[in-house]
Amino acid sequence: RVWQRLFGRGIVSTPSDFGTTGDAPSNEKLLNALAAEFKQDGWSVKRLIRRLVLTQTYQQTSQTDAKKQKLDPDNRLLSRFAARPIEAENLRDQILAVSGELDPKMFGAGTLDVSMKRRSIYFFIKRSRLIPFLLAFDGTNALQSIGARQTTTVAPQALVLMNNPQVVAWCAAFAKSAETPGDNAKTISTIFERALGRIPTKLEQQDATRYLQSGGTTAGLCQIVISLNEFAYIQ
């Protein structure tokens, strides 16, 4: 399950079935070696995670080529990093964080208030009142346990990022904190750096400048940036 969490799919791709009806390990020797090291390390999950994230396999790019596609078309052997969307709770928390609206307070009771600004882990789970944002991005309905969440890419997800009242409000706060009056270039650069961890490319700078000069708002630009795959995907 730790491997699945980091790489998107476990060494055994059926995490709830390790028996004869489940899938065979993609690399049985590796699975056995990791299990032995896990035991020797005193069952330390932290050490196991550290060991995996420092590997060349974890640190490789998600880009592929014809040779990799031919040898490993389903990426079962991890010939490239498996790009995948981040989980619903993390996406919500990430939007709050870049907007500057995230409340870091820890502990305390949960809530059903969809406008809550604490981390999504503090949502109270009530099956008759699930959080719409989380459901749109494949959050679980808590009706049954699952070994791995399904991931989808559907139009309603884009509509949530464009129209959800909380997202709109958070992007307005993001824009207010990132905007440099009279300096579009600085504003655009700040938005990209905070949301994506990099400065915009020349083409992105030109497009964003054209958008603002044509009447687009800074908050609208923030919504555009958080809707990029680069923001919502682990690559």
Side-chain angles (χ1 to χ4, degrees), residues 17-224:
D17 188 355
F18 295 141
T20 56
T21 59
D23 289 345
S26 58
N27 191 323
E28 186 174 351
K29 290 183 178 180
L30 174 60
L31 179 60
N32 290 336
L34 287 173
E37 291 173 349
F38 185 42
K39 180 180 179 181
Q40 291 169 5
D41 286 338
W43 312 102
S44 171
V45 175
K46 182 180 290 187
R47 289 186 181 182
L48 176 60
I49 292 174
R50 179 178 175 81
R51 177 175 285 113
L52 295 180
V53 298
L54 291 178
T55 61
Q56 290 182 337
T57 301
Y58 182 81
Q59 297 177 30
Q60 67 184 338
T61 177
S62 58
Q63 295 179 353
T64 187
D65 53 42
K67 182 178 180 181
K68 290 180 180 179
Q69 287 284 15
K70 183 177 181 180
L71 295 175
D72 188 20
D74 298 325
N75 202 33
R76 181 175 170 81
L77 301 178
L78 294 178
S79 58
R80 61 188 182 281
F81 189 87
R84 62 187 185 279
I86 63 177
E87 293 180 332
E89 294 87 349
N90 292 342
L91 177 60
R92 177 186 174 278
D93 296 354
Q94 190 166 284
I95 297 172
L96 274 168
V98 300
S99 70
E101 291 290 283
L102 182 65
D103 180 355
K105 178 183 176 182
M106 298 179 65
F107 311 114
T111 181
L112 287 171
D113 181 4
V114 295
S115 62
M116 174 196 65
K117 296 181 179 180
R118 300 177 69 195
R119 291 170 55 213
S120 301
I121 194 174
Y122 292 105
F123 275 127
F124 184 78
I125 300 298
K126 186 175 183 180
R127 292 171 180 171
S128 61
R129 286 183 58 189
L130 297 174
I131 308 302
F133 182 97
L134 303 185
L135 289 179
F137 290 93
D138 304 313
T140 57
N141 60 20
L143 293 175
Q144 60 185 6
S145 61
I146 58 173
R149 289 187 184 182
Q150 67 173 7
T151 57
T152 61
T153 303
V154 292
Q157 294 169 345
L159 294 175
V160 167
L161 294 177
M162 293 167 61
N163 302 307
N164 180 274
Q166 283 74 50
V167 174
V168 172
W170 299 336
C171 284
F174 184 6
K176 185 176 181 179
S177 63
E179 192 169 30
T180 301
D183 191 343
N184 284 344
K186 178 62 176 178
T187 298
I188 294 167
S189 181
T190 299
I191 292 172
F192 271 77
E193 287 187 52
R194 191 181 298 178
L196 305 180
R198 63 171 179 82
I199 61 174
T201 64
K202 183 177 181 180
L203 180 59
E204 289 170 336
Q205 186 81 39
Q206 292 173 347
D207 287 344
T209 300
R210 192 178 303 115
Y211 169 79
L212 294 176
Q213 291 176 343
S214 64
T217 65
T218 305
L221 179 60
C222 290
Q223 280 189 270
I224 292 171

